[in-house]
Amino acid sequence: MGRPCSPSQPPATPGSRSRSPWPGTGRSVHCSDPAHGRAAAGPLFKPGVLDAAHPGRWVREFERRKAILRNEPGPAAILALLGLVFDLHGEVPRDELLAFVDGARKHREPLVASYAGYVRGQLLEQEGQGQAPNAEAAFRAEGYLLDWQIVGPFDNSGRGGHDQEFEPEKAPFSAGQTFVGKLPGEPLPWRAFVHAKAPRNGFVNLGDLLQPDTDVTGYATLWIRSDKAVDAALHIGAAEAYKIWLDGVPVGQADSYHSPNALQDAHPMRLQAGWNRLLVKLGADEGLWGFTPASAPRRAPR
């Protein structure tokens, strides 16, 4: 068997400089062909190319996702979109990715079509500040709730805050009210969280404004206006335990701690005509402290 690929220090020659594919090491990569003992045809690393050893990998991955979207009429088609930005942004031409996502927005399954709109926002946000307004518009078009009033931190030692009632979940909202929280003697007011000031793919990060952010509980609230009474769903991806109320009535909760995902949970709710107050309680230990929320009318497949 040939020896495995390994970095090695090339012999120096007088007056020469090594151009190494291992930046900063002065080393190059030498590979033996297991069958013939010859040097491999191409390098394993090439500046600006993530996987030079497997040419065409990202094209094949893109084709695989296209096939899923083409062949799956139901919710499973969403697999074509999961991780798309992480895997293919920068590897597949921008216009091709956007065309693929825009095609997915026409899918008969409402969840797939809506998530495709969310992924479109992710792609635009990756392009920097110049596309930030378009990215935010894409999120809002799919019902993502971006701007909130938030307050905290309250205690969550030993993850005990989830079952403890703090004042924000008992007292009626007032813009000027303050609370006593985790830090004695420090009044806690409601603060405005504006997504455009810290865009993160629709993620509402309480730690941007509220400190400390370890072993803490916080609250976020906003109002949803509906022209008529309608059945809706609240989609939420939270990094921690949460509880949700709509006009004081419990809507849903979870007590697990993990990485957040926009498709994590969905809770049915009934919006009344006029303004509806949504209140979310979020705990955190040492991880992220926030959530990705979206509200949408409940729709049947087309």
Side-chain angles (χ1 to χ4, degrees), residues 17 25 39 43 52 55 63 84 120 133 146 166 168 198 200 208 235 260 269 279:
R17 289 186 179 180
T25 66
E63 292 302 320
L84 180 80
R120 190 179 211 283
L146 303 180
F166 297 105
R200 285 188 178 84
D208 282 345
H235 298 266
M269 60 183 184
L279 177 68

Side-chain angles (χ1 to χ4, degrees), residues 24-267:
T25 66
R27 295 177 294 172
S28 58
V29 177
H30 300 276
C31 276
S32 294
D33 183 315
H36 305 288
R38 295 195 304 267
L44 291 184
F45 181 91
K46 212 170 165 184
V49 179
L50 289 182
D51 197 351
H54 299 89
R57 171 182 176 182
W58 306 113
V59 173
R60 291 192 297 273
E61 171 61 14
F62 194 26
E63 292 302 320
R64 183 187 72 84
R65 291 174 178 269
K66 288 180 181 178
I68 293 174
L69 189 65
R70 185 169 56 248
N71 297 327
E72 290 287 352
I78 208 164
L79 295 173
L81 300 166
L82 295 178
L84 180 80
V85 177
F86 180 81
D87 285 348
L88 297 182
H89 181 263
E91 300 295 338
V92 172
R94 170 191 185 272
D95 291 346
E96 292 184 28
L97 280 179
L98 286 174
F100 172 70
V101 169
D102 286 342
R105 293 171 66 196
K106 301 173 184 176
H107 197 275
R108 68 182 298 274
E109 180 63 42
L111 181 64
V112 176
S114 177
Y115 190 70
Y118 172 72
V119 173
R120 190 179 211 283
Q122 287 183 308
L123 287 169
L124 293 173
E125 195 169 283
Q126 286 288 323
E127 296 182 10
Q129 287 299 316
Q131 286 288 353
N134 293 331
E136 181 167 317
F139 295 138
R140 291 188 187 278
E142 301 305 333
Y144 283 82
L145 306 170
L146 303 180
D147 299 331
W148 295 73
Q149 294 287 326
I150 63 175
V151 66
F154 301 87
D155 191 41
N156 190 36
S157 299
R159 299 184 176 180
H162 183 67
D163 294 320
Q164 186 174 349
E165 284 191 353
F166 297 105
E167 197 64 21
E169 63 192 83
K170 298 185 290 183
F173 178 85
S174 172
Q177 68 193 145
T178 60
F179 307 96
V180 177
K182 186 178 179 73
L183 302 179
E186 181 177 326
L188 302 177
W190 289 100
R191 305 181 65 179
F193 178 93
V194 180
H195 177 266
K197 294 182 178 180
R200 285 188 178 84
N201 295 322
F203 185 76
V204 179
N205 188 13
L206 275 64
D208 282 345
L209 297 178
L210 308 180
Q211 293 292 326
D213 60 359
T214 301
D215 295 325
V216 290
T217 298
Y219 294 84
T221 192
L222 55 61
W223 289 259
I224 301 172
R225 181 171 177 79
S226 178
D227 293 334
K228 60 181 180 180
V230 62
D231 288 326
L234 180 70
H235 298 266
I236 183 169
E240 60 286 295
Y242 67 83
K243 290 183 178 180
I244 306 166
W245 297 265
L246 181 67
D247 290 330
V249 178
V251 168
Q253 65 171 317
D255 60 2
S256 57
Y257 288 69
H258 44 64
S259 297
N261 185 296
L263 297 171
Q264 181 179 315
D265 294 323
H267 302 284

